[in-house]
């Protein structure tokens, strides 16, 4: 029942995982893509962390790599955490966290639709807003809306 | 001898009286029973995130109004708060109070529309709807007074609001907040105990709290399931820590509770507005922020309690005058996640009521 | 209790007024047509104005004084619309359906007495005829649903048939009790027998009849056939132009028909002091309209399984009890004075309604998938 500060959470994580798997950086945890599910289930399942509520999933195109941003919070302890996962532009595949938080379902579909990052293990990975034949991914920086 | 039957697919929407815009629900029906649904969205997709990334920060405020056009104040407030956080500027006291008054008025207006539409979907021929619009009109008139607009206000600015309140606003607002509790009681008299409304909503479309949390449901829909998560309380923003108000919750998480939840929240909003009007200080309503802002590099996530739930803005700045990434965490979209579990097994008529009780706005879902 | 004929037969209109069988038929056919259409027009105006009042808005007030010409404007608008037939529908049935739906409703008025003896045909099986003919309208509605080739229409049409079959039974039983009391099936004689309106003598019969009639005419809270929030407009979704106008006319004629039957059987029909009989008939009909519009303006809609459960579990047992009680009263206490029967029956109604309301629950049941 105690809110942990970011440093305490980062400390807990650093104690458990090697720095190349998870590294704290500017108020967020940067996780390696292949370790995401492991770290996420640790965050979700550990009682003193208990991140049971996934606020938001989104992706940013940093020209060269994508960064998937997860905002987590714990209803019990009311502390929150930002997870950032990088994935290379030429192989935009990420593990899906839908098995942990179903709230990611539509948001991962949205990222898939607009940013072109696919999520392995997502139960229903289809385009969300755009139609099936749509070419390109509008939120990528190399896509111009023509305005 | 059993009759040979087979399920059939009914395409509800995108143009349908109860889809709150252009939402399409592909329902598989076995007689009247919904055995499967597939929500299909995107008919109102305008690419607002992309548009916003191609415009200067200041020009994105009107775009934010157009997300949830029933709660435009809340959306533009969340956006300007995010940019203020990026810029690291503070807002004058008076402007904070004005913002809270506007946003809470907006919450009442939005909940009035929500409750009215739920009643409409249960089949009352527009009567509760018109009653609620009577009061909603008064709120829109108040908005009209401060910013000359009734739907898309464009009132929030970085570092404050665009205009100070006109002289006639506070008396009109005081009159409204004195009358509104009586109106809410009137709705309760007319609706809360109505036998048919009870049998149509009680126990229908139950959303268990565990599922609601797992699906990241937020707002009145989450609180009706018994989870007291309200950003105004658990992560106070603006000046909400100065006001006394309760976070009402319900226990059953059915359609009836989602309707009652909104009624209770209107009462709490009135409490906040009353306190804000009493404490309203004099002073500037806008700190001088240049028209073209260039926030330093970095990212920021700001979330507020919008009428439909947790509204978040995730902004990434690369130091230029346009946002590098502009993401909206839209409550309406994410509240749709458990829709299938809530609807299947119920009758077609229930499906419409359950869908309506989540209260979505397509402008925010499709963006 | 009472026998038909307390009203002197001399005051009745001759059965071949104005003088000849064929002339009588022609005159009354025209009267009925004019009466129904005129009443429907007034009813539409009244409904929109009253709904406006109930919904804290003015209602139509632009066309003519008090918006009185609004129905005319509506008719002109509807008739100038393009008359479309869905390509995937059943063309012939689609054309036929509005007529099949409308004509039976009109036919019912043949046995409705506007005043003493003023009716097209004083059939001695009047009530039976009413029940039989009015049910045919549902065939028309089902035809619209089928021929439109639209799933919403089909759902609406199926609901109508289910609703009709269920509510026909309590309605019939409640009318049977009236027949027992009046001792006749002819509507004119039943009116003549009502020294006290049967709503007082048969309060339960009236309640059951009224609810069942709401369901038969697809009025709120049983308007599932055209439930706008679920199935958009139900059976008439594909109709436009003249055919839609006829369906619209049919719906409102059904309302007029309910009001006419309720007036004749329970409210004393054309009987009443001072005013001319026809005026009494119309006044009572409009009183029924008012209640119908009031219900429409205030009640939500039931769900289909609740509608069914309400007919079979709530109305049917009550109708049976009412029939038995009425039968017993007629057989064992035929000379009972009104002042003793009225309070007894009203108390019985209140007691039974309370009892049933206590034990009867409309549940929401989820089907396991």
């Amino acid at each position: 029942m105690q809110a942990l500060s970011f440093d305490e959470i980062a400390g807990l994580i650093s104690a458990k995982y090697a720095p190349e798997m998870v590294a704290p950086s500017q108020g967020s945890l940067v996780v390696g893509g292949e370790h995401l599910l492991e770290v996420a289930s640790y965050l979700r399942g550990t009682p003193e962390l208990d991140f049971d509520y996934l606020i938001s999933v989104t992706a940013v195109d940093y020209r060269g790599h994508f960064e998937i941003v997860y905002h987590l919070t714990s209803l019990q302890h009311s502390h929150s955490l930002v997870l950032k996962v990088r994935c290379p532009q030429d192989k935009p595949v990420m593990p899906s966290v839908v098995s942990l938080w179903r709230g990611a379902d539509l948001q991962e579909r949205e990222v898939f639709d607009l940013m072109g990052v696919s999520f392995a293990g997502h139960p229903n990975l289809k385009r969300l807003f755009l139609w099936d034949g749509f070419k390109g991914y509008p939120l990528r920086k190399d896509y111009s809306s023509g305005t | 001898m059993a009759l040979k039957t087979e399920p059939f697919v009914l395409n509800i929407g995108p143009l349908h009286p109860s889809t709150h815009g252009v939402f399409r629900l592909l329902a598989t029906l076995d007689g009247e029973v919904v055995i499967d649904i597939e929500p299909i969205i995107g008919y109102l997709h305008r690419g607002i995130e992309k548009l916003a990334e191609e415009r200067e920060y200041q020009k994105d405020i009107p775009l934010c109004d157009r997300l949830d056009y029933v709660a435009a104040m809340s959306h533009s407030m969340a956006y300007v708060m995010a940019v203020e956080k990026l810029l690291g500027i503070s807002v004058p006291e008076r402007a904070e109070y004005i913002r809270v008054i506007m946003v809470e008025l907006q919450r009442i207006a939005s909940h009035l529309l929500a409750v009215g539409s739920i009643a409409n979907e249960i089949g009352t021929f527009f009567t509760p709807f018109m009653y609620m619009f009577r009061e909603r009109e008064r709120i829109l008139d108040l908005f009209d007074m401060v910013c000359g607009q009734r739907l898309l206000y464009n009132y929030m600015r970085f570092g404050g609001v665009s205009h100070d309140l006109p002289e006639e606003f506070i008396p009109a607002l005081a009159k409204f907040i004195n009358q509104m509790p009586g109106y809410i009681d009137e709705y309760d008299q007319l609706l809360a105990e109505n036998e048919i409304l009870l049998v149509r909503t009680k126990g229908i479309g139950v959303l268990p709290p565990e599922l609601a949390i797992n699906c990241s449901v937020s707002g009145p829909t989450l609180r009706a399931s018994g989870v007291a998560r309200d950003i105004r309380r658990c992560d106070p923003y603006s000046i909400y820590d100065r006001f006394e108000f309760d976070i009402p919750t319900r226990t059953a998480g059915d359609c009836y509770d989602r309707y009652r939840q909104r009624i209770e929240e209107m009462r709490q909003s009135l409490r906040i507005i009353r306190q804000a009007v009493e404490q309203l200080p004099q002073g500037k309503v806008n700190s001088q922020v240049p028209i073209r802002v260039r926030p330093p590099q970095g990212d920021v996530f700001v979330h507020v309690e919008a009428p439909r739930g947790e509204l978040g803005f995730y902004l990434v700045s690369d130091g230029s005058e346009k946002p590098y990434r502009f993401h909206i965490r839209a409550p309406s979209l994410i509240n749709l996640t458990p829709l299938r579990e809530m609807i299947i097994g119920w009758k077609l008529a229930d499906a419409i009521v359950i869908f309506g009780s989540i209260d979505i706005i397509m402008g925010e879902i499709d963006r | 209790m009472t026998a038909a004929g307390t009203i002197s037969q001399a005051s009745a209109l001759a059965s071949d007024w104005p003088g000849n069988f064929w002339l009588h038929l022609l005159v009354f056919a025209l009267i009925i047509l004019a009466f129904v259409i005129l009443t429907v027009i007034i009813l539409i105006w009244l409904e929109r104005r009253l709904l406006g009042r109930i919904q804290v808005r003015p209602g139509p007030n632009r066309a003519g004084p008090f918006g009185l010409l609004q129905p005319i404007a509506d008719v002109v608008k509807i008739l100038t619309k393009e008359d479309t037939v869905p390509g995937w529908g059943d063309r012939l049935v689609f054309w036929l359906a509005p007529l099949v739906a409308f004509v039976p409703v009109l036919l019912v008025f043949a046995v409705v007495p506007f005043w003493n003896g003023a009716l097209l045909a004083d059939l001695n099986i009047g009530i039976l005829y009413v029940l039989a003919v009015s049910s045919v309208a549902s065939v028309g509605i089902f035809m619209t649903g089928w021929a439109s080739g639209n799933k919403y229409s089909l759902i609406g049409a199926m609901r109508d048939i289910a609703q009709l079959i269920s509510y026909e039974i309590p309605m019939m039983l409640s009318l049977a009790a009236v027949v027992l009391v009046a001792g006749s099936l002819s509507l004119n004689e039943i009116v003549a027998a009502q020294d006290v309106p049967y709503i007082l003598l048969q309060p339960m019969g009236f309640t059951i009849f009224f609810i069942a009639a709401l369901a038969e005419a697809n009025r709120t809270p049983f308007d599932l056939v055209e439930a706008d929030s679920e199935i958009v407009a139900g059976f008439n979704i594909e109709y436009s132009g003249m055919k839609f106008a006829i369906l619209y006319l049919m719906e409102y004629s059904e309302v007029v028909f309910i009001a006419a039957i309720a007036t004749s059987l329970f409210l004393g029909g054309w009987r009443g002091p001072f005013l001319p009989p026809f005026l009494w008939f119309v006044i009572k009909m409009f009183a029924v309209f008012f209640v119908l519009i009031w219900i429409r303006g205030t009640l939500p809609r039931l769900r289909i399984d609740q509608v069914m459960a309400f007919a079979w579990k709530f109305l049917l047992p009550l109708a049976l009890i009412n029939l038995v009680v009425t039968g017993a009263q007629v057989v064992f206490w035929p000379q009972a004075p009104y002042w003793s029967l009225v309070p007894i029956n009203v108390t019985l109604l209140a007691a039974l309604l309370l009892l049933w309301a206590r034990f009867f629950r409309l549940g929401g049941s989820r089907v396991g998938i």
Side-chain angles (χ1 to χ4, degrees), chain C residues 22-38:
Chain C
W22 291 107
L23 201 59
H24 173 80
L25 224 58
L26 186 72
V27 166
F28 268 95
L30 288 177
I31 288 177
I32 286 171
L33 210 58
F35 176 78
V36 170
I37 290 175
L38 199 67

Side-chain angles (χ1 to χ4, degrees), chain C residues 262-279:
Chain C
T263 304
S264 299
L265 293 183
F266 292 99
L267 302 179
W270 39 264
R271 296 183 62 173
F274 312 122
L275 295 172
F278 178 70
L279 213 54

